[in-house]
Amino acid sequence: MREETATVGARAGSGGAVPHRVAVLALDGVLALDLGIPVQVFTALPAEGYEMTLCGRTAGPVPTSSGFDLTAAAGLEAVRRADTVVVPGYAPHLRELPADVLGALAEAHARGCRLVSVCTGAFALAAAGVLDGCTATTHWLYADELAERHPRVSVDARVLYVDEGRVLTSAGVAAGIDLCLHLVRRDLGAAAANEVARTMVAAPHRDGGQAQYIRRPLAENADGGTLAATRQWALDHLHEPLTVRRLAAHAHMAPRTFARHFAAESGTTPLRWLLAARIDRARELLETTGLTVDQVAGRCGLGSPSNLRLHFRRALGTSPTAYRAAFVPPRTRGR
């Protein structure tokens, strides 16, 4: 899952730059929690370049699935002028949507707008033809229905989210947080995404390829606790050599037992989690410091500049130098 960087061309406040317009489309029966995620994320940093509009089919009251109405500030005209459109989940998700809604989504896609869904919002994108030929995901409970109803969509029910460049889809609820933070990271960098995560008391980075369905999301070890303390310890020691054996020793577990509990709790392996954490740390250091690429490689635990470049290219499709150039004003860059 390779990222594109710098989708938001310039940050608000940098000489009156044009903001990146985000339209969150609330369809009738919208799931309130799914809706709240993009609204919260894209308004968390008002000076960083996003202008968020809550819209519906028409401006005015929109019924939620929870029995109360919310008020949309705009109608489908907001979709037609947006740079990013987010469709939260809605119920019932198998109903036919109005032609003007599907037309607005299809037109947005045709003109190059970025389209994003949370949970069952993927059914709206699929009905508009936006997901044809793409890999997509939705809540694991509804993945079979999405695949059956839309055979031209390759549905992956295992993952938290899928980034296809201009089309992105996520699983349910918390995975919507992961996807929206991924968008901020893609647009504005790791430092901005981590700041938003801190304001939401959310995990700063979960790779989209992590497992969506975890049987024991709070898997307990032999002492009755989770591995959160060990993960935090690892984040504090990323610059050091870290192996599964060393992480297991911190957790007071045998390595094989630790690896099994780690996967059950986080949906990924310890080494894959470590690599993602190190790349995220490297991104933040490149954005916020003048450290050289050699120094960044050492600080994040990737060792050598060549190793850093290799993993950057695999994960992000770019080099550390190009990444820094995309996110850091020239006067603040290191060598």
Side-chain angles (χ1 to χ4, degrees), residues 52 115 139 162 179 181 184 189 204 299 301 310 314 327 331-332:
M52 196 281 300
L115 294 173
H139 194 294
V162 177
L179 177 55
L181 289 175
V184 176
R299 294 279 185 93
L310 172 66
R314 285 178 176 172
F327 289 108
R331 66 181 180 276
T332 64

Side-chain angles (χ1 to χ4, degrees), residues 225-236 250-251 265:
T226 72
L227 298 175
T230 295
R231 287 194 296 272
Q232 184 58 55
W233 177 83
L235 291 174
D236 294 337
H250 182 273
E265 185 171 323

Side-chain angles (χ1 to χ4, degrees), residues 72-145:
L76 292 175
E77 68 276 7
V79 171
R80 297 188 179 97
R81 63 172 179 259
D83 302 302
T84 294
V85 176
V86 183
V87 184
Y90 58 92
H93 60 281
L94 294 180
R95 74 176 189 262
E96 292 205 13
L97 295 175
D100 55 349
V101 170
L102 299 181
L105 292 173
E107 290 167 13
H109 184 247
R111 67 176 168 79
C113 177
R114 183 170 64 185
L115 294 173
V116 181
S117 68
V118 177
C119 193
T120 54
F123 284 82
L125 297 189
V130 170
L131 299 183
D132 287 356
C134 294
T135 298
T137 193
T138 188
H139 194 294
W140 61 270
L141 277 172
Y142 312 117
D144 288 345
E145 292 175 342

Side-chain angles (χ1 to χ4, degrees), residues 242-329:
L242 294 177
T243 62
V244 173
R245 183 175 296 278
R246 191 174 178 200
L247 294 173
H250 182 273
H252 305 291
M253 301 172 73
R256 291 181 64 180
T257 302
F258 172 81
R260 185 172 66 252
H261 279 271
F262 194 99
E265 185 171 323
S266 68
T268 191
T269 67
L271 294 182
R272 182 173 178 175
W273 180 87
L274 269 176
L275 179 58
R278 282 174 162 151
I279 292 173
D280 198 53
R281 178 66 53 81
R283 294 171 74 161
E284 190 160 5
L285 290 171
L286 288 167
E287 296 166 25
T288 60
T289 75
L291 295 173
T292 65
V293 172
D294 296 45
Q295 291 169 325
V296 169
R299 294 279 185 93
C300 70
L302 288 174
S304 67
S306 60
N307 200 34
L308 175 60
R309 293 187 189 99
L310 172 66
H311 289 298
F312 243 67
R313 181 68 61 183
R314 285 178 176 172
L316 309 178
T318 189
S319 68
T321 301
Y323 181 87
R324 173 172 271 167
F327 289 108
V328 182

